[in-house]
Amino acid sequence: KQEVTQIPAALSVPEGENLVLNCSFTDSAIYNLQWFRQDPGKGLTSLLLIQSSQREQTSGRLNASLDKSSGRSTLYIAASQPGDSATYLCAVPINDYKLSFGAGTTVTVRA
Amino acid sequence: NAGVTQTPKFQVLKTGQSMTLQCAQDMNHNSMYWYRQDPGMGLRLIYYSASEGTTDKGEVPNGYNVSRLNKREFSLRLESAAPSQTSVYFCASSQYPAGQGNTEAFFGQGTRLTVV
C-alpha cells in the first residue's frame, strides 16, 4: 500500500529564507508526483507535476525534485514571502484514477 | 478561466436530509473525481468518472451516489445525510487519468458540509 508522508507537519520561517518541504512515499513505482498548495478554507491549487522520468521541475521561485529510488520529493521555495504561507500537499498515484495525498506541511512566513 | 466550479460553497443539513453537490469544469477534461477532506484523514477518493458515461467507486463510496451528466458536469448526491458525512468535499478533473504521465489534477474550491 502506498503511504505518503510529509515532515515536518508545520514550519515557520522569516521572510526571505528559502523553504524546503519534504515528501516521502513507500512505493517507488509511480508515474508522477504532484505538489499542491491549499490556503485556509480554500481548494487545492496545483503547483508542479513531475513525471517519473524527470529529476526536477521548476516554476518561478518553485523547484521540485524527485528521487524515485529513495522514495522522496522535495519542494524548494526560494526567497519566501508572507504570501507563501499555506499548507503544501504532495500526491502520488495509487492507480490510474486514485491519488494518495500526504497530510501536508503548514508553512508560516513571518514578515 | 473558471476551471472547476463547485456549488454550493457551504451547506448545513439535518440528519436524513438529501442533497446534491454540483461540479462543472470548463477545461474539456475527460476524467472527474469527488474527494472528501477530513482532519487527520487527509483527502480520500469517493467516486470518479474516467470519461463521460462512466462512474466508479473510490475508497469511501458508501452513502453517496454520483452522476456524470455530460462531459462538463459531475454531481455527488447524499441520499440520507449522516453526521459522519460532515466534511469538506472537493471536485477535481484531469484531461487523462490523473495517475498517468504528465496529467495534472485540478481542484475546485470545495463545499463545506455540516450534518447536524
Side-chain angles (χ1 to χ4, degrees), chain B residues 4-96:
Chain B
V4 180
T5 303
Q6 293 182 234
T7 56
K9 289 185 171 51
F10 302 92
Q11 185 72 47
V12 178
L13 286 179
K14 294 182 178 179
T15 297
Q17 285 186 319
S18 62
M19 79 162 295
T20 300
L21 281 64
Q22 306 287 352
C23 174
Q25 52 90 9
D26 62 2
M27 296 173 281
N28 201 35
H29 284 173
N30 293 301
S31 303
M32 298 186 73
Y33 315 82
W34 277 104
Y35 282 86
R36 60 179 288 175
Q37 185 177 36
D38 302 288
M41 301 295 291
L43 281 136
R44 293 178 292 171
L45 182 64
I46 305 171
Y47 270 94
Y48 67 93
S49 172
S51 60
E52 184 179 355
T54 69
T55 61
D56 283 285
K57 295 178 181 179
E59 187 180 356
V60 288
N62 291 344
Y64 305 96
N65 286 300
V66 291
S67 295
R68 182 76 182 265
L69 304 171
N70 48 54
K71 193 171 185 180
R72 290 186 64 248
E73 298 173 288
F74 188 39
S75 63
L76 178 71
R77 183 162 178 83
L78 287 70
E79 291 291 351
S80 178
S84 61
Q85 295 178 305
T86 294
S87 186
V88 181
Y89 291 86
F90 289 103
C91 178
S93 71
S94 62
Q95 176 69 333
Y96 301 112

